[in-house]
Every structure is written in C-alpha cells, then in structure tokens.
C-alpha cells in the first residue's frame, strides 16, 4: 500500500467545503497550542486559564521549547532576550517620519519591515527571538511618536518584555502598576491560538516560500489588521461606548438588553461575541472578566461589558441558528485597556500584535526547522476548483 493510501482519513473533500475559508481543513501540524471548541486554547497542553498568570517570558519560552522553564532556564532566557532587545535607532527615526493618520497597525508593519531590512540574519529562530525582544521598544515608540507624547524614553530591557514596554510608553497620567498587571496577562493570553487563525496561517504561508521571518511577520500583521480578525478588539470598545451612550452610561441590565435587542433587530451585531472555532465562552474572556473585577470593577465601561456578558448571551441564545452566543477574547479587553490608561482603541490591535508576534514566530520556526524531520513544510500550494471558465479561443 502506498503511503498516501495508508494515510489516516482526517476529512473528506466534498464540494460544499469549497469557498468556506478552509473551515475544517487541517493544513499543518501545530506544536505550540491547540484550540478546543469547548475548552478554548491550551499552550503545549496547559489550559490558558492556568498559564495566563505566568511570566510573559516563560510563556514565550514554552512556545519555543515546548516545556516550561525552571528558574535557571527562565533567568537565562530573560537575559538572552534583554541582550537582543536594542532596536536599531534608524527604525525609530523612520517611525518619526510616518504620517500620523496612518493606522498604528500600518506603523507596526512599516516598523517590522524596516527592522528586517536593517537587521535580519536570515535564520528563522534568531530573527524570531530578536523580533520578540525588540518589539517592546517598537510598540512603545509607535504610541509615543504617533501620539506626540514626547521623545522616545530610553529602553530598560532588564525590566522584562512587558514591563519595559510600559516603561517606554510613559503614558501621560497613566497608572503604570495597573497597566503592567493587565498587559502581562494580556500578552500571555493573546500570544497564540492554534495554527489556523488568519495571521498565523498567513505568516506560515509566506515563510513557506522562504521569505524571511520579518517579511512573513509583516504579512501576518496585515492579516491581523483586518476587522474580522485582530482589529475586532478596536471595534469592540467602540461598540461598548455606543452601548454606554445609548443607555445614558447607566449600568442597567434592562437598558442594555433593550439596546441589544434593538441593535440585532436592525441588522447590527454584538461585537466580541461568537468565534470561528469556539462554541463556549472563551476562557481568555473569563480571565479578563476576573481581572477586571479586581482592577477596574467600578469602571463604567467594564460594567457595561459585564452586563453584555449576561444579557447579550441571553438574547443571542434565543436565536437557535447562532452556534456560539458567548464572549470571545475581544469582548472585554478594550475596556480593561481603557480603564488602565490606554484610551484610544485605534492602538488595541497593535497590543494584540505585540503578543501574537511571539506565537507566530514560534510556529514559523517549527514549520521551517522542525517539520518533516527538519526539512520544513514545502511551499503552500493548495488546490482550487475551476468555475465559470468555459474553454474558448480568440477569434482569428
Ligand atoms: C483568536 O485569537 O481568537 C484568533 O486569532 C481567531 C482565530 O482563532 O481564528
């Protein structure tokens, strides 16, 4: 029997699978994380609700090494990241010349692209780790320069990836302690979500043509920029504000429910609810609701989120056609970020990108250097089904 004939049947290709955005098709082995429709994401076997509170660098180590570090390994890994962390100053100069009306995600793509031109080594692992280490400074400068908060603040990489980013942000009037607490958890829970999410899939597809890690990440971030993917977190806070405005800013369950019903009846949607894969409440949302109770339980927008969690789910459940009426990772992240001093939702996808860069880089390293006994996955080249193209000839 040939290998192909002996292979396990994972799915059947029938015509109804075409034009479904590859729903249900396994495209690659993934070693960093798994997404279960009911239990949500786990990182190398650890449920996200266990892993959410570990050090951000320990989570990066886990995705790269497939094991949690012991104290010595974590210390050495943090020192290695700190040693790699200096961003080429020419990237900061280039950012300073970008148009302020460019979206922060466009700035992120420009920054990563320029970083690649200036400093890539061509080694997927080295470039991945360098990019992760330098992303703290890159992200902080995107905020500072685009917002005109003043000259860049000197990097202190020994603080840690997230702590250094918050230090370099220098949010005017911000509560650094609260923001750091939030972003450490935010960074860990947004890092990875299986291999089929659009940004990760795109990054790996680009890398399969042997474009370098930076170019692959630019493409991945372009995918994340879409409102159906990462930019949904920006739209979620805008939606929560709309609910707040429509209900007079009152934390009133009945008013929120009435708004939800009206919104759905007029063809609108509940931002932050449902998911392409999940069929239950996203555990990453649960982690954030719990954190919100602790750090900003009295925040008016957080209260609206808590009511949407209760009343939104209730209303969505009345429609039997809705497969997942539950909140996802974006439902409350913007309200927490807002309550901790980063109030402009345009930047939220950049924070998502800050975290997701680590997961995508780790998956690209696996696909390029571990898969198929180290040979790497071949260039992505899926099949298509020809439609509406009858054979014809040019009239002579
Ligand atoms: C997520 O984090 O939920 C995603 O990247 C979306 C997905 O998994 O498709």
């Amino acid at each position: 029997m040939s290998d192909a004939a002996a292979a396990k049947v994972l799915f059947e290709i029938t015509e109804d699978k075409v034009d479904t955005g590859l729903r249900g098709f396994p495209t690659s082995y993934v070693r960093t994380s798994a997404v279960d429709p009911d239990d949500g994401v786990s990182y190398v076997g650890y449920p996200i609700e266990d892993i959410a509170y570990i050090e951000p660098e320990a989570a990066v180590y886990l995705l790269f090494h497939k094991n949690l570090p012991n104290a010595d390994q974590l210390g050495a890994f943090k020192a290695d990241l700190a040693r790699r962390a200096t961003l080429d100053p020419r990237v900061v100069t280039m950012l300073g010349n970008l148009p302020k009306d460019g979206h922060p995600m466009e700035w992120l793509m420009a920054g990563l692209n320029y970083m690649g031109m200036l400093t890539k080594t061509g080694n997927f692992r080295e470039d991945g780790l360098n990019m992760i280490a330098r992303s703290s400074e890159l992200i902080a400068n995107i905020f500072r320069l685009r917002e005109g908060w003043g000259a860049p603040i000197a990097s202190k990489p020994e603080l840690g990836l997230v702590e250094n980013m918050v230090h370099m942000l220098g949010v005017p009037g911000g509560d650094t302690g609260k923001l750091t607490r939030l972003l450490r958890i935010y960074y860990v829970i947004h890092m990875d979500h299986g291999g089929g999410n659009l940004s990760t899939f795109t990054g790996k597809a680009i890398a399969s043509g042997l474009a370098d890690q930076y170019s692959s990440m630019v493409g991945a971030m372009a995918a994340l920029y879409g409102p159906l993917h990462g930019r949904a977190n920006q739209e979620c806070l805008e939606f929560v504000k709309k609910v707040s405005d429509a209900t007079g800013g009152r934390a009133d369950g009945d008013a929120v429910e009435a708004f939800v019903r009206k919104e759905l009846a007029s063809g609108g949607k509940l931002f932050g609810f449902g998911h392409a894969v999940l069929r239950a409440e996203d555990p990453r949302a649960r982690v954030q609701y719990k954190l919100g109770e602790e750090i900003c339980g009295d925040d008016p927008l957080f209260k609206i989120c808590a009511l949407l969690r209760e009343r939104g789910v209730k209303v969505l459940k009345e429609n039997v056609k809705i497969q997942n009426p539950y909140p996802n990772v974006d439902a409350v992240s913007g309200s927490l970020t807002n309550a901790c001093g980063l109030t402009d939702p345009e930047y939220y996808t950049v924070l998502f990108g800050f975290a997701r860069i680590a997961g995508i880089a780790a998956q690209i390293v696996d696909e390029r250097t571990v898969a198929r006994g180290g040979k790497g996955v071949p260039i992505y080249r899926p099949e298509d089904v020809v439609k509406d193209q009858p054979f014809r000839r040019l009239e002579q």
Side-chain angles (χ1 to χ4, degrees):
M1 203 192 293
S2 73
D3 283 356
K8 190 168 147 198
V9 178
L10 291 175
F11 61 92
E12 210 183 323
I13 306 177
T14 48
E15 214 173 340
D16 59 338
K17 301 278 194 330
V18 181
D19 277 350
T20 61
L22 290 171
R23 288 289 183 289
F25 283 77
T27 55
S28 56
Y29 290 103
V30 178
R31 295 168 175 79
T32 55
S33 63
V35 183
D36 179 89
D38 296 315
D39 298 332
V41 70
S42 52
Y43 290 176
V44 202
Y46 294 102
I48 196 68
E49 283 172 289
D50 289 0
I51 226 71
Y53 309 98
I54 67 173
E55 290 210 44
E57 291 80 0
V60 178
Y61 184 101
L62 173 63
L63 299 193
F64 274 78
H65 293 84
K66 320 304 179 226
N67 269 312
L68 283 171
N70 62 30
D72 288 347
Q73 288 165 330
L74 180 58
F77 189 62
K78 286 173 85 165
D80 180 48
L81 288 176
R83 185 183 54 74
R84 296 171 183 272
T86 308
L87 185 64
D88 190 305
R90 287 172 291 178
V91 178
V92 180
T93 308
M94 185 277 291
L95 290 176
N97 288 317
L98 289 177
K100 301 274 188 293
D101 52 1
H103 190 278
M105 281 301 282
E106 294 175 313
W107 281 49
L108 177 59
M109 289 181 249
L112 289 170
N113 207 13
Y114 199 39
M115 274 164 81
M117 284 183 235
L118 296 172
T119 55
K120 71 172 167 295
T121 67
N123 175 302
F124 282 104
R125 189 180 180 85
E126 281 300 297
D127 285 343
L129 290 170
N130 287 342
M131 200 187 315
I132 292 165
R134 293 168 196 167
S135 60
S136 307
E137 195 170 340
L138 176 64
I139 304 286
N141 279 317
I142 290 174
F143 274 84
R144 277 193 82 71
L145 297 171
R146 190 171 174 277
E147 282 305 300
W149 285 347
I153 295 176
S155 173
K156 289 188 182 170
E158 65 284 4
L159 293 177
L161 289 170
V162 173
E163 292 80 351
N164 190 27
M165 205 280 279
V166 174
H167 151 73
M168 282 185 289
L169 272 180
V171 187
D175 178 340
T176 310
K178 234 178 174 183
L179 186 60
T180 305
R181 172 126 194 264
L182 166 67
L183 290 183
R184 276 170 61 98
I185 294 172
Y186 185 106
Y187 187 79
V188 173
I189 65 175
H190 282 82
M191 206 173 271
D192 209 33
H193 209 245
N197 68 80
L198 186 66
S199 48
T200 308
F201 177 79
T202 303
K204 291 192 295 185
I206 296 172
S208 78
L210 299 188
D212 63 89
Q213 179 75 272
Y214 288 91
S215 304
S216 305
M217 199 60 72
V218 172
M221 291 300 114
L224 194 71
Y225 179 29
L228 294 185
H229 190 17
R231 199 173 0 135
N233 66 0
Q234 168 181 335
E235 301 199 336
C236 266
L237 183 65
E238 285 157 0
F239 174 73
V240 174
K241 285 182 173 167
K242 185 173 159 188
V243 180
S244 171
D245 290 347
T247 55
R250 287 171 299 135
D252 175 337
D254 291 340
V256 168
E257 185 175 327
F259 175 86
V260 166
R261 290 189 186 283
K262 203 165 140 217
E263 191 72 4
L264 294 177
S266 63
K269 66 171 197 167
L270 284 202
F271 289 81
F273 287 73
H275 192 275
V277 180
L278 302 175
R279 294 293 169 259
E281 183 172 81
D282 189 334
R284 298 170 300 176
R286 239 176 353 252
V287 166
Q288 295 178 84
Y289 287 121
K290 187 164 161 241
L291 179 65
E293 291 296 345
E294 287 170 36
I295 63 175
C296 58
D298 289 334
D299 179 77
L301 294 181
F302 177 72
K303 285 185 173 170
I304 298 278
C305 287
L307 288 173
L308 281 170
R309 182 190 194 189
E310 187 193 317
R311 302 299 183 106
V313 172
K314 175 184 163 203
V315 175
L316 289 175
K317 270 184 168 171
E318 290 168 9
N319 182 345
V320 288
K321 289 202 197 120
I322 295 179
Q323 291 179 310
N324 174 4
Y326 299 104
N328 61 43
V329 68
D330 300 321
V332 67
S333 65
S335 299
L336 299 188
T337 319
N338 178 69
C340 290
L342 294 179
T343 53
D344 184 347
E346 267 208 315
Y347 288 91
Y348 293 174
T349 314
V350 161
L351 295 175
F352 190 162
F354 177 40
R356 193 54 66 93
I357 282 172
I360 296 174
Q363 289 201 34
I364 287 178
V365 170
D366 284 346
E367 272 209 15
R368 302 305 349 131
T369 69
V370 180
R372 297 204 308 158
K375 279 191 297 184
V377 172
I379 185 167
Y380 281 27
R381 199 348 180 155
E383 198 46 87
D384 41 38
V385 180
V386 177
K387 193 165 187 182
D388 300 334
Q389 299 183 59
F391 181 75
R392 42 195 160 171
R393 308 287 306 263
L394 282 177
E395 299 285 333
Q396 293 300 322

